[in-house]
Amino acid sequence: MEAFADTLVPGERRGPSDRAIAGAAAGPGAVQAGAIALLTAPELPLAPLLPGIATLLDARATGYAVTHLILLPLDRPPFVGLAFNHRTAVTAGLFQPDDPDRPVWQLLSFLVGLAFDTAAHLHTAQALAGGHPGLTWIGFPPPGPDGLWRFPDHSYGRALAAPHPATTPSGSPA
């Protein structure tokens, strides 16, 4: 599952013996950002299904390797044994409209993205204090001194609408 997450949001290897992370991109990837922690979070009923999903992914990798005459190493799972460009090709095939398991891969890819982009498995303040690699990489701002986020600049560079006349100074509707 680490190799799948790394294929979606690639990052640097954790060390020279790292096989799951292909090292296809500089900087942190989904694995460093906690993708596996999110996929196995007790709040999600997904953890018991992950071994079966990994087996399905390995079966797809094996089929791909056979059709492309790629010899897979025997010391690691088939998907992990593929080079990054081949992992990417297998992964792209999982999202084809006629793939019967497409909803499974869509859900997993959504969660992997959430782990990197939002640190969904952590409280945002805790993630930032711990230097969460995804939030740090995208430049997510820290909270103010009171622990709250306020955004004085509008995201579109201008206010999209005038506040309702009955809006209180705190921003609440009257």
Side-chain angles (χ1 to χ4, degrees):
M1 295 315 307
E2 282 188 338
F4 178 74
D6 178 66
T7 304
L8 295 170
V9 184
E12 293 175 342
R13 284 194 163 136
R14 295 167 284 198
S17 64
D18 195 347
R19 304 250 193 241
I21 298 177
V31 175
Q32 293 92 337
I36 301 305
L38 179 58
L39 293 176
T40 58
E43 297 83 6
L44 295 175
L46 195 56
L49 303 174
L50 291 178
I53 293 170
T55 299
L56 180 59
L57 181 61
D58 284 334
R60 298 293 184 92
T62 301
Y64 177 89
V66 168
T67 61
H68 289 82
L69 303 175
I70 298 170
L71 185 60
L72 291 170
L74 299 176
D75 64 342
R76 63 197 83 136
F79 189 77
V80 175
L82 290 172
F84 184 76
N85 62 321
H86 296 296
R87 290 181 189 182
T88 301
V90 170
T91 302
L94 302 175
F95 294 95
Q96 295 302 310
D98 61 340
D99 190 297
D101 302 315
R102 184 177 178 200
V104 171
W105 309 116
Q106 288 174 324
L107 174 63
L108 287 179
S109 66
F110 175 71
L111 292 171
V112 166
L114 279 178
F116 186 82
D117 294 337
T118 70
H121 56 295
L122 302 169
H123 185 282
T124 305
Q126 174 192 4
L128 286 169
H132 182 271
L135 294 178
T136 301
W137 190 79
I138 64 173
F140 195 87
D146 60 357
L148 299 176
W149 278 267
R150 292 183 179 80
F151 301 94
D153 298 323
H154 303 287
S155 63
Y156 291 97
R158 63 183 179 86
L160 297 179
H164 187 275
T167 303
T168 65
S170 71
S172 300

